[in-house]
Amino acid sequence: MARIVVLGAGGQVGRSIVAEAVKRGHEVTAVDQDQNQMKSLPRKANAMTGDVTSRDVVAQQAQGADVVVIALAGCARPEHANVARVMVDVASKLGNKAPSVIHVGNGGLLENTDGERIVDTQEFPAGERKEALDQADALDVLRAAKGSVKWSFITPPPRNFGPGRRREAYRTAGDRPVMDSQGNMGISHEDFAIAVLDEAEKPKFRNKRYTVGY
């Protein structure tokens, strides 16, 4: 059993990750700024309301944690990059006692078949571009981290990512989305959470960005 902290636990993805972690028997602390979003979390999760970009909150939760999952839903300011900076700073100070970090990214950062970032194409929704670019900044922060900071950046598909059927199956890839033989991509929140917990329990993508899909 591991102690796992989920920052942004009130969002749909965060709730799925919390549920999967609890199901596997881990000690889970769920942190979110919106108390109303925490009501549907599993009872076995330790729910806490707090600013997930606050150094004090992150430092407190990181103490004694094995894994910190960053799963923020949307942003009205550079939340993703800010929490990544705070997490790197906290982990650097904790040294060998620092938890590993799993950051849930944005599918727009993946590349299309021409090697172009999907967020930079005309097809990418304009309303989602700000968040994707904020996630790009967060990835840069993690890549620049040194010393004992252990991180993984898991990216969902840029399309067809939402609540759905739990298949208990997924495939992984590097810079381009996972696609089937017909060029389709996607994964449910439930199976994405399985991938996150698999990485938490047995990391295979330490200090790397990767993606998952069916």
Side-chain angles (χ1 to χ4, degrees):
M1 181 180 73
R3 183 186 171 220
I4 297 177
V5 176
V6 181
L7 303 180
Q12 288 187 349
V13 176
R15 290 198 299 271
S16 296
I17 293 170
V18 170
E20 180 66 24
V22 168
K23 181 179 180 180
R24 297 191 185 198
H26 296 295
E27 178 186 346
V28 184
T29 299
V31 187
D32 199 274
Q33 297 167 174
D34 189 345
Q35 188 175 13
N36 292 328
Q37 295 292 331
M38 308 285 274
K39 296 178 180 178
S40 60
L41 292 175
R43 292 183 179 180
K44 291 184 179 180
N46 176 30
M48 174 185 168
T49 304
D51 181 359
V52 296
T53 63
S54 164
R55 191 189 186 285
D56 290 341
V57 171
V58 174
Q60 179 184 19
Q61 296 304 322
Q63 290 280 352
D66 297 299
V67 181
V68 174
V69 180
I70 302 172
L72 308 190
C75 63
R77 64 181 194 275
E79 283 185 336
H80 300 291
N82 286 347
V83 74
R85 292 187 187 97
V86 170
M87 191 68 245
V88 166
D89 180 58
V90 169
S92 297
K93 289 178 169 57
L94 288 174
N96 293 333
K97 296 182 179 180
S100 59
V101 180
I102 300 177
H103 189 114
V104 176
N106 185 287
L109 303 187
L110 299 173
E111 298 176 0
N112 61 20
T113 54
D114 295 324
E116 184 180 11
R117 265 193 336 181
I118 295 172
V119 67
D120 298 324
T121 64
Q122 292 183 350
E123 292 77 16
F124 192 80
E128 300 176 16
R129 184 165 285 115
K130 180 180 178 181
E131 180 178 356
L133 294 176
D134 182 25
Q135 287 278 24
D137 291 340
L139 178 57
D140 288 342
V141 169
L142 293 171
R143 283 174 167 166
K146 299 178 181 179
S148 59
V149 181
K150 305 180 295 289
W151 59 270
S152 304
F153 195 94
I154 180 170
T155 309
R159 299 195 302 272
N160 302 322
F161 178 50
R165 184 169 60 88
R166 180 187 174 97
R167 302 186 190 178
E168 297 190 359
Y170 65 88
R171 293 181 292 145
T172 63
D175 295 326
R176 295 183 180 180
V178 175
M179 292 189 289
D180 63 19
S181 58
Q182 285 76 44
N184 300 315
M185 64 181 74
I187 194 169
S188 69
H189 287 166
E190 292 79 1
D191 286 325
F192 184 81
I194 290 175
V196 170
L197 265 296
D198 285 350
E199 178 68 10
E201 293 176 349
K202 296 181 179 180
K204 296 181 179 180
F205 298 92
R206 186 60 54 79
N207 295 359
K208 294 180 180 178
R209 186 270 299 276
Y210 71 108
T211 186
V212 297
Y214 292 132

